[in-house]
Amino acid sequence: MKIAVTGGLGFIGSHTAVELIGRGFEVIVIDNLSNASEQVLDGIEAIAGVRPIFEKIDLREKQDVVGFFKKYPDLKGVIHFAASKAVGESVQDPLLYYENNIGALVYLLQQLQQLAEANFIFSSSCTVYGQAVTMPITEAAPIQPAMSPYGNTKQVGEEIIRDVANISNINAVLLRYFNPIGAHASAEIGELPLGVPQNLVPFITQTAAGLRKEVSVYGADYPTNDGTCVRDYIHVVDVAKAHVIAMERLLNKQNVAKVETFNLGTGTGSSVLEVIHAFEKVSGKKLPYKLVERRPGDVIEAYADTRKANEILGWEAELSLEDAMRDAWNWERKIRTID
Ligand code: WQD
């Protein structure tokens, strides 16, 4: 059964390709290589034992999207990861984000809505909740005005999918990720940020690897236990597995609505300092860090109520923060060839 994974060479996409192959799906990876390398295919193959089909397609090219669907008339579903995800960059270049994240989505949905049956999974984000009033955050929490063009593309993307699903054969699952981190335990695939990492965990592992001097902890005066921000860090392999389960739910027609929404988190909030200490524990290394000013736009805390995904998808995060930090560190050491 053929499933297309857009952005399939990226961080979450590559881990999802592995899990799909493990469940017997035939995976077609679509990627434009703008933020990933073809070598990721080797990593996927090393773990899964099968090399996915690879189509180098830029989803902003409408004719290429049309051509892809002509080439694979027996496609059973699409998992759509391909998108730009740097919040700061989205403020500097909003149209890049609207073109990449909305333009490409529109072209995909145009082709999907012509199919007799179309199953679609969308990468959404907890960013749609902004600073939620109540913790943990349920899927019923109000959507807040977006704090960045990036965040807006996730909100608008969700709305576009709802509008199209209403009038077509498309069935969709919107997965709202909290903070995916870690790497595959084999260290064959992992996160490969371009330039200076904006996200906490790759910054930590690069600092420990000697690429960065120290970690800046953005704000130590927040109203939390230790003064630093709290997030729900979830292992990328747990996130990947949820996609397979969601796709199987759509394929088996178990969905009870045209569009279903689930939080993907662990349900546990961890502070920045707790993440640093978890890293130190599993790596045995002391991490240089300093407390600095708050980063504009950060929410104080965000962690998921995972009951909906637990009960309806029958999925729950199985790996711990320490597992994720250990795997992220093993991956960093492998790519920097550190013993
Ligand atoms: C986590 C915590 C920082 C870096 C972002 C996007 C979100 C989603 C996931 C993805 C925060 C602190 C970070 C550093 C630090 N989208 N931090 N020093 O901001 O929760 O979410 O990524 O595609 O939409 O906004 O994740 O990893 O950047 O930050 O202290 O060098 O770590 O302030 O509290 P965030 P993050």
Side-chain angles (χ1 to χ4, degrees), residues 87 150 179 198-200 216-218 229 231 233 295 298:
V87 174
Y150 162 77
N179 289 57
Q198 304 303 308
N199 295 116
L200 177 63
S216 295
V217 175
Y218 297 137
C229 289
R231 298 286 182 275
Y233 296 91
R295 181 172 72 175
D298 272 338

Side-chain angles (χ1 to χ4, degrees), residues 26-270:
E26 198 177 339
V27 173
I28 307 163
V29 162
I30 296 178
D31 207 295
N32 69 358
L33 302 180
S34 64
N35 193 16
S37 131
E38 241 179 297
Q39 284 176 6
V40 176
L41 289 168
D42 300 335
I44 296 172
E45 185 178 2
I47 304 165
V50 176
R51 196 172 184 85
I53 301 168
F54 175 52
E55 296 284 353
K56 182 174 181 296
I57 288 173
D58 193 319
L59 297 169
R60 294 170 298 188
E61 300 293 337
K62 182 169 174 173
Q63 282 321 308
D64 293 353
V65 180
V66 171
F68 175 81
F69 280 83
K70 282 214 179 84
K71 186 170 173 184
Y72 298 100
D74 53 346
L75 203 63
K76 289 284 178 273
V78 174
I79 306 184
H80 181 43
F81 295 102
S84 297
K85 60 172 185 178
V87 174
E89 182 188 47
S90 80
V91 175
Q92 299 305 319
D93 193 353
L95 290 177
L96 178 75
Y97 276 67
Y98 291 116
E99 184 181 38
N100 286 355
N101 297 8
I102 302 294
L105 175 65
V106 169
Y107 295 154
L108 274 177
L109 293 172
Q110 280 173 339
Q111 299 313 304
L112 285 166
Q113 74 168 351
Q114 295 174 34
L115 302 180
E117 183 193 324
N119 300 306
F120 189 68
I121 298 184
F122 180 65
S123 300
S124 190
S125 168
C126 67
T127 192
V128 302
Y129 301 118
Q131 179 57 74
V133 176
T134 312
M135 292 294 140
I137 303 172
T138 72
E139 290 82 352
I143 303 298
Q144 306 272 6
M147 297 210 275
S148 69
Y150 162 77
N152 204 28
T153 66
K154 293 298 170 190
Q155 296 192 6
V156 174
E158 287 196 357
E159 287 167 12
I160 291 171
I161 293 163
R162 283 200 193 90
D163 291 343
V164 181
N166 265 334
I167 51 89
S168 72
N169 290 319
I170 297 174
N171 287 287
V173 175
L174 314 176
L175 296 177
R176 292 179 178 156
Y177 315 149
F178 280 68
N179 289 57
I181 60 164
H184 197 271
S186 66
E188 293 288 353
I189 55 174
E191 196 168 4
L192 274 174
L194 273 186
V196 182
Q198 304 303 308
N199 295 116
L200 177 63
V201 173
F203 204 101
I204 288 175
T205 56
Q206 287 197 7
T207 302
L211 277 79
R212 316 277 159 212
K213 193 166 132 268
E214 62 193 351
V215 174
S216 295
V217 175
Y218 297 137
D221 58 350
Y222 284 103
T224 59
N225 281 345
D226 63 21
T228 65
C229 289
V230 168
R231 298 286 182 275
D232 187 338
Y233 296 91
I234 176 168
H235 198 295
V236 64
V237 170
D238 279 327
V239 173
K241 286 179 176 167
H243 288 75
V244 180
I245 293 170
M247 182 52 79
E248 288 175 340
R249 176 174 172 83
L250 291 175
L251 291 166
N252 296 332
K253 304 195 186 313
Q254 290 163 309
N255 52 309
V256 294
K258 297 277 298 171
V259 179
E260 296 180 319
T261 306
F262 298 99
N263 286 340
L264 296 186
T266 65
T268 301
S270 303

Side-chain angles (χ1 to χ4, degrees), residues 186-187 202-212 279 283-285 287 326-339:
S186 66
F203 204 101
I204 288 175
T205 56
Q206 287 197 7
T207 302
L211 277 79
R212 316 277 159 212
F279 175 81
S283 69
K285 284 175 84 81
L287 192 79
R326 182 200 63 226
D327 293 339
W329 178 230
N330 284 339
W331 164 248
E332 187 76 53
R333 282 196 298 173
K334 185 187 165 197
I335 58 176
R336 311 293 170 201
T337 55
I338 300 170
D339 286 336

